[in-house]
Amino acid sequence: MKKIILILITALLTTSCIDNKEPEGLGISVKSLGTRSGFSLKECHKKSCVNSRKELTDEKQFIEPIKVVATKEIAYEKIMKIILKEKDLNVVNSTENYIRAKQTLYGKLITDVEFFFTNKKTIYMRAEMRGVPYDLGNSRRLLENIRFKFHQNDY
C-alpha cells in the first residue's frame, strides 16, 4: 500500500511541475531546406518532438510524411475529420494549407500537432509534447495513428 501511495505522490508532483506555456514559433515560416529555401514547419530541438522534414530534424526524430493520392483539398478534409473525431484532440488554428491541433492527456500533458499541406501531394507533420524532456514516444504514436486512419479512411 505504501508503494502505491508513493508512486501516486511522485506522479502528482511530477505532473504539477510541467510547464504548459504555448511554445513560440509554431506555424509555417520560411526555412532553409538544404540548398534552397521554402515554407516549412518549425524544426525539432527537443527529444519530445518528431518532424517529417529531414532537413529540420535528426534521424531519431524523423517521421515519414503522409503521401497523398487525391487532391490537397480532399487530404485536408480527411485530416480535419480525423482530428475532430478524436476526443483528446482540438483544432487550435487552420488555414487552407495548415492545421494546428493540441492533444491534452490527463489534464496536464499537452502535445502540439501540426500539418502542412503542399502541392506536391505530401502532408508534412510535426508533434511536440510541452514541458517534458521525453514523451516516451507519444508524439510519434499520435502521428502514426493519424496516418493509419488517413490511409484506412477512418474518419
Side-chain angles (χ1 to χ4, degrees), residues 79-87 89-91:
I79 292 290
M80 187 63 87
K81 284 181 179 180
I82 291 167
I83 291 170
L84 293 174
K85 189 176 175 182
E86 294 293 319
K87 295 176 201 160
L89 276 172
N90 295 311
V91 175

Side-chain angles (χ1 to χ4, degrees), residues 66-79:
I66 297 175
K67 301 296 182 193
V68 178
V69 178
T71 65
K72 179 173 74 170
E73 291 76 19
I74 292 172
Y76 181 94
E77 186 177 327
K78 284 173 70 171
I79 292 290

Side-chain angles (χ1 to χ4, degrees), residues 78-91 101-105 113 115 138 141-150 153-155:
K78 284 173 70 171
I79 292 290
M80 187 63 87
K81 284 181 179 180
I82 291 167
I83 291 170
L84 293 174
K85 189 176 175 182
E86 294 293 319
K87 295 176 201 160
D88 56 355
L89 276 172
N90 295 311
V91 175
K102 70 178 184 177
Q103 177 191 45
T104 306
L105 297 173
V113 185
F115 300 92
N138 180 66
R141 270 191 307 278
L142 175 61
L143 292 181
E144 291 294 353
N145 184 35
I146 291 171
R147 176 201 317 277
F148 179 78
K149 290 179 178 187
F150 180 87
N153 292 321
D154 183 14
Y155 51 91

Side-chain angles (χ1 to χ4, degrees), residues 27-153:
I28 304 167
S29 60
V30 177
K31 303 281 184 201
S32 176
L33 305 171
T35 58
R36 54 193 168 91
S37 62
F39 290 104
S40 186
L41 299 171
K42 182 180 176 185
E43 56 271 354
C44 284
H45 295 293
K46 298 180 181 177
K47 303 244 187 259
S48 62
C49 178
V50 291
N51 194 330
S52 61
R53 288 306 292 242
K54 281 187 179 181
E55 303 90 352
L56 301 176
T57 189
D58 67 13
E59 192 175 305
K60 291 180 182 177
Q61 295 171 300
F62 177 72
I63 187 168
E64 286 290 330
I66 297 175
K67 301 296 182 193
V68 178
V69 178
T71 65
K72 179 173 74 170
E73 291 76 19
I74 292 172
Y76 181 94
E77 186 177 327
K78 284 173 70 171
I79 292 290
M80 187 63 87
K81 284 181 179 180
I82 291 167
I83 291 170
L84 293 174
K85 189 176 175 182
E86 294 293 319
K87 295 176 201 160
D88 56 355
L89 276 172
N90 295 311
V91 175
V92 175
N93 186 9
S94 66
T95 64
E96 64 183 35
N97 295 328
Y98 173 77
I99 298 173
R100 178 171 160 232
K102 70 178 184 177
Q103 177 191 45
T104 306
L105 297 173
Y106 313 115
K108 285 275 190 182
L109 300 172
I110 297 174
T111 303
D112 293 292
V113 185
E114 297 177 284
F115 300 92
F116 177 49
F117 300 81
T118 68
N119 292 329
K120 298 177 181 175
K121 302 218 177 231
T122 303
I123 303 171
Y124 290 106
M125 308 179 292
R126 182 184 183 281
E128 180 179 350
M129 188 175 277
R130 295 183 193 176
V132 295
Y134 299 99
D135 68 349
L136 303 175
N138 180 66
S139 298
R140 183 174 298 279
R141 270 191 307 278
L142 175 61
L143 292 181
E144 291 294 353
N145 184 35
I146 291 171
R147 176 201 317 277
F148 179 78
K149 290 179 178 187
F150 180 87
H151 288 303
Q152 295 295 317
N153 292 321

